[in-house]
Amino acid sequence: MSESEAGLRERLVDVGVELVAAEGVQALTLREIARRAGVSHGAPRRYFPTHLELLSAIARRGFVELADRATRAADDNGGPRARLAALAHAYLRFAVERRGMYELMFRHDLLKSGHLGLRDHSLPLFGRLVELVGRVRPDVDARLVGGALWANLHGVGQLWGWGSLQLAVGTQDFDRMVDAVLVVYLGPDET
């Protein structure tokens, strides 16, 4: 692939990232991405033979950003519980701030397709979560509790994004919600 072809491929992904941020997953059509990139509607097919492959490339950017945010947050804190709390807060902040991207990243058809190895990008973050759960709670099956914690965080992210959780619990305090989830899975913070 020539440098100009690689540049166009990246521009298509860049446009997709911007489009999902501004208008959500439903706006990610090949035609709209091509129009905003200033190319013919058939041009994306030269670089992404299927719509799923283009969506996977866009989602991959989301996984890279999420992993970077979570890693920076977890690395900038003290003990395992503080690092796990920072990772959880970063994860949910991403879910709320990058709602369209978050929705795209966890679409089952993208993850199942195997395009660009999206599971290879999501599993290391889950592994980090499991490792920290194991350090905080050596008395439990860290993989199982980590999975339950992740599922709960994911649910909080979805419900918060829809506005349902704030209505149900009567708070707009996102951080309190995250802290409550952590107490359920890790027990009270005794520091």
Side-chain angles (χ1 to χ4, degrees):
M1 185 181 305
S2 74
E3 189 173 322
S4 64
E5 288 174 324
L8 178 54
R9 185 182 197 287
E10 288 304 304
R11 189 164 86 223
L12 292 166
V13 175
D14 291 341
V15 166
V17 169
E18 292 165 9
L19 188 58
V20 76
E23 298 181 29
V25 175
Q26 69 283 352
L28 290 176
T29 65
L30 287 172
R31 189 174 294 274
E32 184 59 17
I33 291 170
R35 186 185 73 73
R36 290 187 185 211
V39 298
S40 73
H41 70 272
R45 295 253 186 233
R46 285 195 298 263
Y47 307 99
F48 303 99
T50 68
H51 188 223
L52 204 57
E53 288 181 50
L54 177 54
L55 294 179
S56 294
I58 295 165
R60 183 179 186 174
R61 290 265 187 95
F63 278 115
V64 168
E65 180 185 347
L66 174 58
D68 182 55
R69 283 185 183 200
T71 298
R72 277 187 287 123
D75 288 349
D76 289 344
N77 284 284
R81 186 181 182 106
R83 290 198 308 274
L84 183 55
L87 186 150
H89 282 270
Y91 180 87
L92 284 175
R93 256 186 236 96
F94 180 89
V96 170
E97 293 169 4
R98 307 277 285 146
R99 186 160 161 65
M101 179 61 82
Y102 184 74
E103 183 182 333
L104 176 67
M105 289 163 54
F106 291 101
R107 275 183 43 174
H108 179 70
D109 60 335
L110 293 184
L111 290 169
K112 186 178 176 189
S113 75
H115 290 300
L116 302 179
L118 291 181
R119 288 197 193 275
D120 296 337
H121 289 278
S122 64
L123 289 177
L125 184 55
F126 177 69
R128 181 78 187 274
L129 178 88
V130 168
E131 181 258 325
L132 290 169
V133 166
R135 293 184 68 201
V136 175
R137 295 281 317 270
D139 59 315
V140 301
D141 178 339
R143 190 167 193 79
L144 188 62
V145 172
L149 173 58
W150 174 61
N152 194 275
L153 291 171
H154 192 80
V156 168
Q158 287 289 352
L159 291 170
W160 197 271
W162 294 328
S164 304
L165 197 52
Q166 301 90 311
L167 182 64
V169 299
T171 185
Q172 296 294 318
D173 190 343
F174 178 77
D175 291 325
R176 280 186 63 211
M177 206 58 227
V178 176
D179 292 340
V181 169
L182 292 172
V183 167
V184 168
Y185 290 95
L186 305 177
D189 186 359
E190 304 197 3
T191 58

